[in-house]
Amino acid sequence: ITTNSRPGELGDVRIRGNRSITADNDPLYVIDGIPMVAGSIADINPNDVGIMGFSAGGHLASTIATHAKPELRPDFQILFYPVISMDPKINHRGSRINLLGQNPSAEKVREYSNELQVTPQTPPAFIMHSSDDRAVPVANSLNYFQALVNNQVPASSLHVYPVGGHGWGYNDSFPYKRQWTGELEKWLREISKL
């Protein structure tokens, strides 16, 4: 993480990437500055910062959670109907092509199939998906959750809803919105005790 501000000074937030998940140069992302909240510096515990991603953004979030250096990893991850795998049997084809190109090597497919990159140091995840999602197969979430369990990542949670399709996010018409928001709030309280 880099910043143009001195400690204690307020700076603009900028997130910069190298434009390609497969680029050989580091870092994948950089955050500059400190966020503003109502005109003052946010009261952020640097040991309690998470990442959230939806669909292909879920792949980016889980990639940061599994690939970043330990000191740059988030403390938790929240994933909505995430693209996790680059395995052609269960991946979202458009995401795979956009991230890895038309003919990625087997090595790149494995490297960015994040269910294969989970370790005991991977941060806990709150994962949500609908079983009728036709865009991103629910197997992405199931396999990632199983990898978290197999690696004894504490406090991970998986919620699969029977209907909803893809892309419901914060949509009030999603029939399980009240349930997932309540469960997420409880989960965030629980992991803050760890």
Side-chain angles (χ1 to χ4, degrees):
I1 297 178
T2 65
T3 182
N4 295 327
S5 303
R6 292 186 306 219
E9 286 186 354
L10 191 58
D12 294 329
V13 174
R14 290 185 306 278
I15 301 175
R16 298 179 277 123
N18 62 24
R19 306 191 72 143
S20 172
I21 203 164
T22 61
D24 293 328
N25 57 331
D26 282 330
L28 177 61
Y29 63 97
V30 177
I31 302 172
D32 294 318
I34 300 171
M36 290 281 294
V37 175
S40 65
I41 296 175
D43 183 19
I44 296 175
N45 177 347
N47 297 315
D48 198 18
V49 176
I51 192 165
M52 179 186 289
F54 300 72
S55 194
H59 189 270
L60 177 60
S62 65
T63 299
I64 291 170
T66 56
H67 289 70
K69 296 174 185 171
E71 65 272 15
L72 295 177
R73 286 187 184 174
D75 297 296
F76 60 89
Q77 46 187 321
I78 301 169
L79 308 172
F80 288 72
Y81 34 85
V83 172
I84 296 291
S85 187
M86 295 293 113
D87 179 339
K89 293 179 206 149
I90 64 167
N91 75 312
H92 178 260
R93 183 167 160 69
S95 295
R96 178 182 154 129
I97 290 169
N98 286 332
L99 292 170
L100 302 180
Q102 287 287 347
N103 297 303
S105 68
E107 179 184 326
K108 285 296 180 191
V109 168
R110 179 171 175 68
E111 181 179 1
Y112 290 102
S113 291
N114 293 333
E115 75 279 16
L116 304 176
Q117 304 308 319
V118 173
T119 70
Q121 290 72 44
T122 301
F126 186 94
I127 309 165
M128 296 166 278
H129 217 119
S130 293
S131 59
D132 66 346
D133 188 333
R134 301 217 190 288
V136 176
V138 71
N140 282 266
S141 291
L142 297 172
N143 292 348
Y144 192 62
F145 179 74
Q146 189 62 58
L148 293 164
V149 170
N150 291 348
N151 281 277
Q152 300 178 3
V153 175
S156 293
S157 183
L158 173 64
H159 303 266
V160 179
Y161 302 104
V163 296
H166 189 78
W168 37 265
Y170 290 98
N171 192 335
D172 286 333
S173 67
F174 179 58
Y176 297 96
K177 181 180 180 186
R178 199 171 95 223
Q179 284 83 355
W180 81 252
T181 55
E183 289 298 317
L184 177 57
E185 181 181 349
K186 288 178 204 170
W187 182 78
L188 287 168
R189 290 179 200 274
E190 285 301 313
I191 65 167
S192 71
K193 297 174 188 174
L194 296 178

